[in-house]
Amino acid sequence: MTSLHEFLEKGGFEEDVISIFLDNDIDYDVFLTLSEDDMKEVGIMSFGARRRLSMVIKAANGAATKGYSQHDSSCSDDASITSDLDQPGSSSCQTSPRTTTRMAPSPHTVPSLPMKDNMPLPSKEHFYNNGSGFLEYRLKNSRMSLPQDKKKRKRRSRQELEVAAKSAKTVVAEDEEEPITPGDQEKVDWMRYSPPTGDNQKKHRDLFIDTFSFRRKIINGSPTITDVLCQFPRLQDMPELINLEFQLLYPDQCDNFISRWGRMKEQIILAGEGNASVLVQIQKFQPDDNRDLCALTALAFALHKSVVQVRGTSTSSSRENSLLFLVQSIPEGTDVEAAAKAKKPVYQQPFLLALGPARRPVQYFAVLDKVAVPCGTSLITAIDRLFKCHFVFNVHYSPALLHFWHFIAAFIYEVLDPHTVKPIIRSFASSVRAVEL
């Protein structure tokens, strides 16, 4: 079969013209059916190039028609017309029938189409005429209506290939899981209906570990956080089980944030001073203020995502507003459960409620759906638990803090491949590592 690339290259056409046809999945046979309007539509804007291509097409079609006329003299019946189609190895069509061979059945097909009896024979060319008749016009429109991913082959990115490979491994891992035993539901029911006390907390933890596979299968089915807490209420009144669940998911990375943050927070602050917007925020903190909050603010401002996609709609988000998706302060003495239930609908993902003064809260709570889960009195312990909630309850990060959480996941916890995050995140991570204390 004739290669369009070689054909046009021999005709003296430039590579940029040839690439336009290849990018639009136009092979040699389709090329011979193109008009100058078609060429303009696919992106050939030069009038001279279109005219020269039309002359080449006309010459090629003339030669093919002449060759077919000689062949057709010995093929007078329907069987001989389609004989080339039944012999893919023949010299006339090789692995695919030529344009002339495909056009040959046209005189037999056209009479079956609705048309007036007194229509003169030349008018039949309206239906099929060297690629410009009605039939080919309809075929061209059908091709144009194909989805974009069907028109042109796209090379998958390395990140897409890695995600596909991980998905394949996950499917294999799920197939290799041990079957759930009838005793699993009994253990879950016992934990559900037995409030934790000093005497049975160890049993709760032991049964929690035993039912890990059972619980992950349910959570991976994408229930709401409220549904998960209803079936596993100990995650709310024994919040240390959130740490235990994350440890079962990532045994080697569970303590990375707590162990590394002490040094990294100062590096983040110093690296952030190179950004004017971040520097303004850092200067608002006094030397004796909460350095953890200062570093988290610097990180959120440095990796701010100004435009976010929420349910297919692009919305803008300021740096100050993005912090509200991380921590919100409420006065000391406020009813925490009422505050969690009264949260605004825009805050869909987990975030922290800080009880007390904004710079020195006395206690933190993670708001999951509209449920408040205690997270201790330390900001770092609370952030650690908040991050783990995304994995334990299988929920997405807030779009406004996507870069913020990806930095923490890839460069502190190391549960995310650094090569899969955005360049802005990798660049800031390099700046942080370059800081010498």
mmCIF file of all heavy atoms in Angstrom, residues 147-179:
data_model
loop_
_atom_site.group_PDB
_atom_site.id
_atom_site.type_symbol
_atom_site.label_atom_id
_atom_site.label_comp_id
_atom_site.label_asym_id
_atom_site.label_seq_id
_atom_site.Cartn_x
_atom_site.Cartn_y
_atom_site.Cartn_z
ATOM 1 N N PRO A 147 -15.415 11.471 18.297
ATOM 2 C CA PRO A 147 -14.761 12.125 19.428
ATOM 3 C C PRO A 147 -13.305 12.412 19.117
ATOM 4 O O PRO A 147 -12.684 11.712 18.320
ATOM 5 C CB PRO A 147 -14.900 11.096 20.567
ATOM 6 C CG PRO A 147 -16.027 10.222 20.145
ATOM 7 C CD PRO A 147 -16.010 10.175 18.649
ATOM 8 N N GLN A 148 -12.760 13.445 19.760
ATOM 9 C CA GLN A 148 -11.392 13.865 19.476
ATOM 10 C C GLN A 148 -10.388 12.742 19.693
ATOM 11 O O GLN A 148 -9.428 12.605 18.939
ATOM 12 C CB GLN A 148 -11.025 15.071 20.349
ATOM 13 C CG GLN A 148 -9.705 15.724 19.965
ATOM 14 C CD GLN A 148 -9.730 16.295 18.563
ATOM 15 O OE1 GLN A 148 -10.752 16.733 18.083
ATOM 16 N NE2 GLN A 148 -8.585 16.278 17.886
ATOM 17 N N ASP A 149 -10.621 11.922 20.739
ATOM 18 C CA ASP A 149 -9.654 10.860 21.024
ATOM 19 C C ASP A 149 -9.699 9.745 19.991
ATOM 20 O O ASP A 149 -8.801 8.916 19.938
ATOM 21 C CB ASP A 149 -9.882 10.286 22.433
ATOM 22 C CG ASP A 149 -11.294 9.723 22.582
ATOM 23 O OD1 ASP A 149 -12.157 10.086 21.754
ATOM 24 O OD2 ASP A 149 -11.516 8.950 23.523
ATOM 25 N N LYS A 150 -10.762 9.710 19.138
ATOM 26 C CA LYS A 150 -10.841 8.706 18.098
ATOM 27 C C LYS A 150 -10.204 9.196 16.797
ATOM 28 O O LYS A 150 -9.840 8.412 15.944
ATOM 29 C CB LYS A 150 -12.301 8.335 17.838
ATOM 30 C CG LYS A 150 -13.016 7.758 19.051
ATOM 31 C CD LYS A 150 -12.458 6.418 19.461
ATOM 32 C CE LYS A 150 -13.271 5.832 20.619
ATOM 33 N NZ LYS A 150 -12.697 4.551 21.086
ATOM 34 N N LYS A 151 -10.133 10.534 16.631
ATOM 35 C CA LYS A 151 -9.592 11.082 15.403
ATOM 36 C C LYS A 151 -8.082 10.916 15.324
ATOM 37 O O LYS A 151 -7.514 10.701 14.281
ATOM 38 C CB LYS A 151 -9.920 12.576 15.311
ATOM 39 C CG LYS A 151 -11.398 12.867 15.077
ATOM 40 C CD LYS A 151 -11.597 14.362 14.945
ATOM 41 C CE LYS A 151 -13.050 14.703 14.715
ATOM 42 N NZ LYS A 151 -13.253 16.160 14.624
ATOM 43 N N LYS A 152 -7.445 11.051 16.455
ATOM 44 C CA LYS A 152 -5.995 11.083 16.455
ATOM 45 C C LYS A 152 -5.455 10.307 17.636
ATOM 46 O O LYS A 152 -5.939 10.427 18.751
ATOM 47 C CB LYS A 152 -5.519 12.540 16.524
ATOM 48 C CG LYS A 152 -4.009 12.712 16.571
ATOM 49 C CD LYS A 152 -3.669 14.180 16.652
ATOM 50 C CE LYS A 152 -2.162 14.392 16.781
ATOM 51 N NZ LYS A 152 -1.816 15.802 16.903
ATOM 52 N N ARG A 153 -4.491 9.485 17.386
ATOM 53 C CA ARG A 153 -3.886 8.733 18.478
ATOM 54 C C ARG A 153 -3.032 9.658 19.322
ATOM 55 O O ARG A 153 -2.254 10.447 18.794
ATOM 56 C CB ARG A 153 -3.027 7.596 17.938
ATOM 57 C CG ARG A 153 -3.837 6.524 17.214
ATOM 58 C CD ARG A 153 -2.923 5.435 16.706
ATOM 59 N NE ARG A 153 -3.661 4.411 16.007
ATOM 60 C CZ ARG A 153 -3.096 3.359 15.424
ATOM 61 N NH1 ARG A 153 -1.777 3.227 15.468
ATOM 62 N NH2 ARG A 153 -3.831 2.477 14.807
ATOM 63 N N LYS A 154 -3.174 9.521 20.621
ATOM 64 C CA LYS A 154 -2.399 10.361 21.525
ATOM 65 C C LYS A 154 -1.481 9.482 22.371
ATOM 66 O O LYS A 154 -1.906 8.450 22.881
ATOM 67 C CB LYS A 154 -3.314 11.171 22.454
ATOM 68 C CG LYS A 154 -4.137 12.220 21.717
ATOM 69 C CD LYS A 154 -4.950 13.044 22.688
ATOM 70 C CE LYS A 154 -5.728 14.129 21.985
ATOM 71 N NZ LYS A 154 -6.511 14.949 22.913
ATOM 72 N N ARG A 155 -0.275 9.936 22.508
ATOM 73 C CA ARG A 155 0.675 9.197 23.329
ATOM 74 C C ARG A 155 0.380 9.456 24.799
ATOM 75 O O ARG A 155 0.236 10.599 25.224
ATOM 76 C CB ARG A 155 2.097 9.650 23.011
ATOM 77 C CG ARG A 155 3.157 8.880 23.791
ATOM 78 C CD ARG A 155 4.535 9.364 23.393
ATOM 79 N NE ARG A 155 5.557 8.660 24.134
ATOM 80 C CZ ARG A 155 6.858 8.921 24.036
ATOM 81 N NH1 ARG A 155 7.265 9.855 23.199
ATOM 82 N NH2 ARG A 155 7.726 8.256 24.746
ATOM 83 N N ARG A 156 0.257 8.389 25.577
ATOM 84 C CA ARG A 156 -0.050 8.545 26.994
ATOM 85 C C ARG A 156 1.178 9.065 27.729
ATOM 86 O O ARG A 156 2.306 8.663 27.471
ATOM 87 C CB ARG A 156 -0.489 7.209 27.598
ATOM 88 C CG ARG A 156 -1.742 6.655 26.961
ATOM 89 C CD ARG A 156 -2.124 5.330 27.559
ATOM 90 N NE ARG A 156 -2.647 5.479 28.903
ATOM 91 C CZ ARG A 156 -3.027 4.453 29.656
ATOM 92 N NH1 ARG A 156 -2.929 3.231 29.211
ATOM 93 N NH2 ARG A 156 -3.490 4.660 30.872
ATOM 94 N N SER A 157 0.945 9.985 28.642
ATOM 95 C CA SER A 157 2.043 10.556 29.417
ATOM 96 C C SER A 157 2.586 9.529 30.399
ATOM 97 O O SER A 157 1.942 8.516 30.696
ATOM 98 C CB SER A 157 1.569 11.789 30.189
ATOM 99 O OG SER A 157 0.614 11.416 31.162
ATOM 100 N N ARG A 158 3.780 9.816 30.905
ATOM 101 C CA ARG A 158 4.384 8.897 31.870
ATOM 102 C C ARG A 158 3.525 8.776 33.119
ATOM 103 O O ARG A 158 3.371 7.691 33.678
ATOM 104 C CB ARG A 158 5.776 9.410 32.260
ATOM 105 C CG ARG A 158 6.490 8.496 33.261
ATOM 106 C CD ARG A 158 7.888 9.000 33.545
ATOM 107 N NE ARG A 158 7.856 10.303 34.169
ATOM 108 C CZ ARG A 158 8.943 10.996 34.489
ATOM 109 N NH1 ARG A 158 10.135 10.510 34.214
ATOM 110 N NH2 ARG A 158 8.829 12.178 35.071
ATOM 111 N N GLN A 159 2.923 9.897 33.539
ATOM 112 C CA GLN A 159 2.080 9.856 34.731
ATOM 113 C C GLN A 159 0.852 8.981 34.501
ATOM 114 O O GLN A 159 0.462 8.202 35.372
ATOM 115 C CB GLN A 159 1.641 11.275 35.100
ATOM 116 C CG GLN A 159 0.827 11.335 36.395
ATOM 117 C CD GLN A 159 0.584 12.769 36.814
ATOM 118 O OE1 GLN A 159 1.100 13.695 36.217
ATOM 119 N NE2 GLN A 159 -0.212 12.942 37.856
ATOM 120 N N GLU A 160 0.236 9.071 33.303
ATOM 121 C CA GLU A 160 -0.919 8.225 32.996
ATOM 122 C C GLU A 160 -0.529 6.756 32.985
ATOM 123 O O GLU A 160 -1.277 5.901 33.463
ATOM 124 C CB GLU A 160 -1.508 8.625 31.647
ATOM 125 C CG GLU A 160 -2.197 9.974 31.646
ATOM 126 C CD GLU A 160 -2.680 10.387 30.283
ATOM 127 O OE1 GLU A 160 -2.035 9.993 29.284
ATOM 128 O OE2 GLU A 160 -3.682 11.089 30.189
ATOM 129 N N LEU A 161 0.657 6.455 32.435
ATOM 130 C CA LEU A 161 1.104 5.063 32.403
ATOM 131 C C LEU A 161 1.355 4.531 33.812
ATOM 132 O O LEU A 161 1.041 3.381 34.121
ATOM 133 C CB LEU A 161 2.383 4.950 31.561
ATOM 134 C CG LEU A 161 2.222 5.227 30.058
ATOM 135 C CD1 LEU A 161 3.584 5.252 29.372
ATOM 136 C CD2 LEU A 161 1.331 4.170 29.423
ATOM 137 N N GLU A 162 1.924 5.389 34.686
ATOM 138 C CA GLU A 162 2.176 4.953 36.056
ATOM 139 C C GLU A 162 0.869 4.702 36.806
ATOM 140 O O GLU A 162 0.740 3.733 37.545
ATOM 141 C CB GLU A 162 3.011 6.010 36.786
ATOM 142 C CG GLU A 162 4.441 6.093 36.289
ATOM 143 C CD GLU A 162 5.221 7.204 36.970
ATOM 144 O OE1 GLU A 162 4.594 7.988 37.716
ATOM 145 O OE2 GLU A 162 6.444 7.281 36.763
ATOM 146 N N VAL A 163 -0.107 5.597 36.591
ATOM 147 C CA VAL A 163 -1.409 5.412 37.240
ATOM 148 C C VAL A 163 -2.069 4.126 36.760
ATOM 149 O O VAL A 163 -2.633 3.367 37.541
ATOM 150 C CB VAL A 163 -2.319 6.626 36.967
ATOM 151 C CG1 VAL A 163 -3.743 6.341 37.436
ATOM 152 C CG2 VAL A 163 -1.771 7.858 37.664
ATOM 153 N N ALA A 164 -1.966 3.862 35.438
ATOM 154 C CA ALA A 164 -2.555 2.641 34.895
ATOM 155 C C ALA A 164 -1.875 1.408 35.478
ATOM 156 O O ALA A 164 -2.524 0.412 35.795
ATOM 157 C CB ALA A 164 -2.451 2.638 33.375
ATOM 158 N N ALA A 165 -0.526 1.485 35.622
ATOM 159 C CA ALA A 165 0.199 0.345 36.188
ATOM 160 C C ALA A 165 -0.190 0.101 37.643
ATOM 161 O O ALA A 165 -0.378 -1.035 38.072
ATOM 162 C CB ALA A 165 1.711 0.584 36.083
ATOM 163 N N LYS A 166 -0.326 1.214 38.409
ATOM 164 C CA LYS A 166 -0.735 1.066 39.805
ATOM 165 C C LYS A 166 -2.145 0.492 39.912
ATOM 166 O O LYS A 166 -2.426 -0.317 40.783
ATOM 167 C CB LYS A 166 -0.659 2.418 40.515
ATOM 168 C CG LYS A 166 0.764 2.910 40.734
ATOM 169 C CD LYS A 166 0.775 4.259 41.439
ATOM 170 C CE LYS A 166 2.196 4.747 41.643
ATOM 171 N NZ LYS A 166 2.226 6.080 42.297
ATOM 172 N N SER A 167 -3.019 0.926 39.002
ATOM 173 C CA SER A 167 -4.392 0.407 39.012
ATOM 174 C C SER A 167 -4.393 -1.087 38.735
ATOM 175 O O SER A 167 -5.125 -1.846 39.356
ATOM 176 C CB SER A 167 -5.246 1.141 37.970
ATOM 177 O OG SER A 167 -5.300 2.517 38.257
ATOM 178 N N ALA A 168 -3.532 -1.498 37.784
ATOM 179 C CA ALA A 168 -3.460 -2.919 37.482
ATOM 180 C C ALA A 168 -2.958 -3.705 38.682
ATOM 181 O O ALA A 168 -3.460 -4.782 39.002
ATOM 182 C CB ALA A 168 -2.542 -3.151 36.276
ATOM 183 N N LYS A 169 -1.952 -3.150 39.391
ATOM 184 C CA LYS A 169 -1.440 -3.828 40.578
ATOM 185 C C LYS A 169 -2.495 -3.905 41.665
ATOM 186 O O LYS A 169 -2.607 -4.890 42.385
ATOM 187 C CB LYS A 169 -0.197 -3.098 41.103
ATOM 188 C CG LYS A 169 1.001 -3.203 40.178
ATOM 189 C CD LYS A 169 2.187 -2.439 40.737
ATOM 190 C CE LYS A 169 3.384 -2.510 39.810
ATOM 191 N NZ LYS A 169 4.525 -1.742 40.340
ATOM 192 N N THR A 170 -3.296 -2.833 41.773
ATOM 193 C CA THR A 170 -4.341 -2.810 42.785
ATOM 194 C C THR A 170 -5.371 -3.892 42.528
ATOM 195 O O THR A 170 -5.831 -4.581 43.440
ATOM 196 C CB THR A 170 -5.037 -1.430 42.817
ATOM 197 O OG1 THR A 170 -4.056 -0.435 43.084
ATOM 198 C CG2 THR A 170 -6.118 -1.395 43.882
ATOM 199 N N VAL A 171 -5.734 -4.071 41.244
ATOM 200 C CA VAL A 171 -6.705 -5.117 40.900
ATOM 201 C C VAL A 171 -6.160 -6.475 41.247
ATOM 202 O O VAL A 171 -6.851 -7.326 41.812
ATOM 203 C CB VAL A 171 -7.053 -5.031 39.397
ATOM 204 C CG1 VAL A 171 -7.892 -6.226 38.992
ATOM 205 C CG2 VAL A 171 -7.793 -3.739 39.104
ATOM 206 N N VAL A 172 -4.869 -6.693 40.929
ATOM 207 C CA VAL A 172 -4.271 -7.982 41.267
ATOM 208 C C VAL A 172 -4.255 -8.188 42.773
ATOM 209 O O VAL A 172 -4.564 -9.258 43.288
ATOM 210 C CB VAL A 172 -2.832 -8.063 40.698
ATOM 211 C CG1 VAL A 172 -2.140 -9.315 41.192
ATOM 212 C CG2 VAL A 172 -2.879 -8.028 39.181
ATOM 213 N N ALA A 173 -3.893 -7.112 43.511
ATOM 214 C CA ALA A 173 -3.838 -7.207 44.971
ATOM 215 C C ALA A 173 -5.214 -7.528 45.537
ATOM 216 O O ALA A 173 -5.346 -8.320 46.470
ATOM 217 C CB ALA A 173 -3.304 -5.906 45.558
ATOM 218 N N GLU A 174 -6.259 -6.918 44.974
ATOM 219 C CA GLU A 174 -7.599 -7.179 45.483
ATOM 220 C C GLU A 174 -8.004 -8.613 45.222
ATOM 221 O O GLU A 174 -8.678 -9.249 46.014
ATOM 222 C CB GLU A 174 -8.590 -6.216 44.824
ATOM 223 C CG GLU A 174 -8.443 -4.780 45.323
ATOM 224 C CD GLU A 174 -9.403 -3.850 44.624
ATOM 225 O OE1 GLU A 174 -10.069 -4.301 43.671
ATOM 226 O OE2 GLU A 174 -9.487 -2.675 45.037
ATOM 227 N N ASP A 175 -7.571 -9.135 44.056
ATOM 228 C CA ASP A 175 -7.903 -10.524 43.749
ATOM 229 C C ASP A 175 -7.199 -11.485 44.684
ATOM 230 O O ASP A 175 -7.686 -12.584 44.950
ATOM 231 C CB ASP A 175 -7.503 -10.848 42.300
ATOM 232 C CG ASP A 175 -8.376 -10.094 41.296
ATOM 233 O OD1 ASP A 175 -9.481 -9.673 41.711
ATOM 234 O OD2 ASP A 175 -7.961 -9.928 40.142
ATOM 235 N N GLU A 176 -6.037 -11.058 45.211
ATOM 236 C CA GLU A 176 -5.267 -11.939 46.078
ATOM 237 C C GLU A 176 -5.661 -11.809 47.544
ATOM 238 O O GLU A 176 -5.129 -12.499 48.392
ATOM 239 C CB GLU A 176 -3.774 -11.622 45.925
ATOM 240 C CG GLU A 176 -3.231 -11.948 44.530
ATOM 241 C CD GLU A 176 -1.803 -11.507 44.358
ATOM 242 O OE1 GLU A 176 -1.306 -10.806 45.279
ATOM 243 O OE2 GLU A 176 -1.179 -11.843 43.338
ATOM 244 N N GLU A 177 -6.585 -10.887 47.863
ATOM 245 C CA GLU A 177 -6.978 -10.722 49.250
ATOM 246 C C GLU A 177 -7.666 -11.968 49.778
ATOM 247 O O GLU A 177 -8.349 -12.689 49.041
ATOM 248 C CB GLU A 177 -7.946 -9.533 49.375
ATOM 249 C CG GLU A 177 -7.260 -8.189 49.299
ATOM 250 C CD GLU A 177 -8.266 -7.067 49.470
ATOM 251 O OE1 GLU A 177 -9.471 -7.368 49.603
ATOM 252 O OE2 GLU A 177 -7.833 -5.903 49.483
ATOM 253 N N GLU A 178 -7.490 -12.202 51.062
ATOM 254 C CA GLU A 178 -8.156 -13.326 51.683
ATOM 255 C C GLU A 178 -9.656 -13.061 51.738
ATOM 256 O O GLU A 178 -10.104 -11.926 51.935
ATOM 257 C CB GLU A 178 -7.615 -13.529 53.096
ATOM 258 C CG GLU A 178 -6.125 -13.910 53.127
ATOM 259 C CD GLU A 178 -5.645 -14.125 54.546
ATOM 260 O OE1 GLU A 178 -6.477 -13.974 55.470
ATOM 261 O OE2 GLU A 178 -4.475 -14.446 54.725
ATOM 262 N N PRO A 179 -10.466 -14.093 51.526
ATOM 263 C CA PRO A 179 -11.913 -13.886 51.576
ATOM 264 C C PRO A 179 -12.363 -13.458 52.974
ATOM 265 O O PRO A 179 -11.775 -13.840 53.982
ATOM 266 C CB PRO A 179 -12.472 -15.272 51.203
ATOM 267 C CG PRO A 179 -11.362 -16.236 51.523
ATOM 268 C CD PRO A 179 -10.091 -15.489 51.266
#
